[in-house]
């Protein structure tokens, strides 16, 4: 049983009193000797207590300092990492990747001793991967090649974005993600767990198969068959298609219906196939409206348009 300091003092005093009151035939202890002994013992006990108390205070202060350093390290890493993730998710093709912090690697190296015990091995490994990708993106952008940086980050999307949303984020409709209500909802469970540990706060619910815009409007739906529906700011559909950036036709659409600058209509096998209308690059004038087969007009209406290319030299472009 542990005794408090006060109990220890009381027990010591009682023992010494008993010692002085006990019969002493040989007169081994005089009253003065016993008093001196009492003072010495009490001084020793008090000294030990003060030393233990000071040590406990030092340990408590050290623990507080460590916790403060750990919280500060997490906060800084969360701010830089989440800012980078938000940038690349909102604008993966726009070149905005230049805003990604180039200091993440140095920050992680500096703060890793304070935070690593907060993570499971898998989470820690994932954090290292995220920092590596973000740092690589920043390095590419620092060389004033935002196009290369954007291409690089698009190739790494599967590391931190749910697989079902990756095709849309790599497609020609990626700019629609600027309207996304909260970028964290499209992250993988592992990435979300890393951010939760760093922030110390709960994250918004993960997205199902539907994403909404900041104003609450429907932004995107993913069907079980893999087809993705994307809507513009007015709620009109931009596509209902199987998106594939490697599609042979260069439109990034494998099959389904889609609206692009040069064509609105059906696709099959990566090519324009079915009902559709093609448009000119300048002025968005109709060129052919009707049935398409294997990327070529088949039956329908061909529009012949002539418009000024440059009125200063009188040249005309025939479309």
């Amino acid at each position: 049983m542990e005794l408090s300091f006060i109990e220890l003092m009381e027990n010591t005093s009682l023992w010494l009193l008993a010692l002085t009151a006990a019969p002493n035939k040989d007169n081994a202890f005089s009253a003065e000797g016993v008093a001196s002994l009492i003072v010495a013992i009490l001084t020793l006990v008090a000294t030990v207590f003060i030393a233990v108390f000071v040590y406990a205070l030092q340990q408590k202060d050290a623990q507080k300092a460590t916790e403060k350093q750990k919280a500060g390290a997490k906060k800084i890493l969360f701010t830089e990492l989440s800012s980078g993730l938000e940038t690349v998710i909102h604008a993966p093709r726009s070149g905005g990747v230049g805003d990604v912090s180039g200091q993440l690697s140095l920050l992680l190296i500096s703060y890793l001793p304070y935070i690593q015990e907060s993570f499971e091995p898998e989470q820690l490994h994932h954090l290292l991967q995220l920092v590596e990708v973000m740092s690589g993106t920043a390095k590419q952008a620092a060389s004033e090649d935002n196009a290369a940086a954007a291409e690089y980050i698009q190739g790494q999307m599967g590391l931190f974005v749910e697989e079902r949303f990756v095709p849309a984020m790599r497609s020609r409709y990626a700019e629609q993600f600027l309207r996304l209500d909260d970028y964290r909802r499209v992250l993988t469970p592992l990435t979300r767990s890393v951010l939760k540990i760093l922030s110390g706060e709960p994250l918004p619910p993960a997205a199902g198969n539907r994403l909404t815009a900041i104003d609450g409007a429907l932004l995107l739906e993913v069907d079980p068959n893999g087809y993705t529906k994307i809507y513009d700011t007015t709620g009109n559909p931009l596509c209902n298609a199987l998106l594939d950036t490697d599609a042979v036709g260069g439109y990034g659409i494998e099959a389904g219906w889609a609206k692009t600058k040069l064509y609105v209509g059906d696709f099959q096998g990566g090519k324009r196939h079915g009902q559709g209308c093609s448009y000119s690059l300048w002025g968005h004038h109709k060129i052919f409206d009707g049935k398409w087969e294997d990327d070529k007009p088949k039956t329908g209406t061909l529009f012949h348009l002539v418009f000024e290319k440059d009125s200063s030299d009188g040249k005309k472009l025939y479309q």
Side-chain angles (χ1 to χ4, degrees), residues 32-43:
E32 293 80 2
V34 172
S36 298
L37 180 60
I38 291 174
V39 171
I41 292 176
L42 293 179
T43 301

Side-chain angles (χ1 to χ4, degrees), residues 89-157:
I89 288 173
H90 278 166
R93 287 170 59 97
S94 69
V97 291
D99 296 330
V100 177
S101 172
Q103 303 299 317
L104 264 172
S105 292
L106 293 177
L107 289 173
L108 183 62
I109 292 173
S110 300
Y111 295 137
L112 191 58
Y114 300 109
I115 67 170
Q116 60 183 355
E117 65 180 21
S118 301
F119 294 88
E120 297 294 333
E122 184 182 18
Q123 293 171 327
L124 183 60
H125 178 67
H126 190 65
L127 173 60
L128 295 175
Q129 288 182 301
L130 291 174
V131 170
E132 181 181 359
V133 168
M134 293 294 110
S135 299
T137 303
K139 185 177 180 180
Q140 293 262 16
S143 64
E144 299 183 354
D145 192 352
N146 279 348
E151 183 178 354
Y152 168 76
I153 197 64
Q154 287 177 53
Q156 305 296 324
M157 284 287 179

Side-chain angles (χ1 to χ4, degrees), residues 252-302:
I253 300 154
E254 179 63 27
W257 179 91
K259 180 180 181 180
T260 71
K261 291 182 179 179
L262 301 180
Y263 177 80
V264 177
D266 299 326
F267 286 83
Q268 184 174 311
K271 299 180 180 180
R272 293 171 290 184
H273 190 94
Q275 185 67 36
C277 183
S278 60
Y279 294 86
S280 62
L281 182 60
W282 298 274
H284 197 63
H285 300 292
K286 287 184 178 181
I287 300 176
F288 176 82
D289 188 2
K291 291 286 185 180
W292 294 72
E293 287 186 10
D294 199 26
D295 214 36
K296 297 178 182 179
K298 191 65 176 178
T299 58
T301 303
L302 179 64

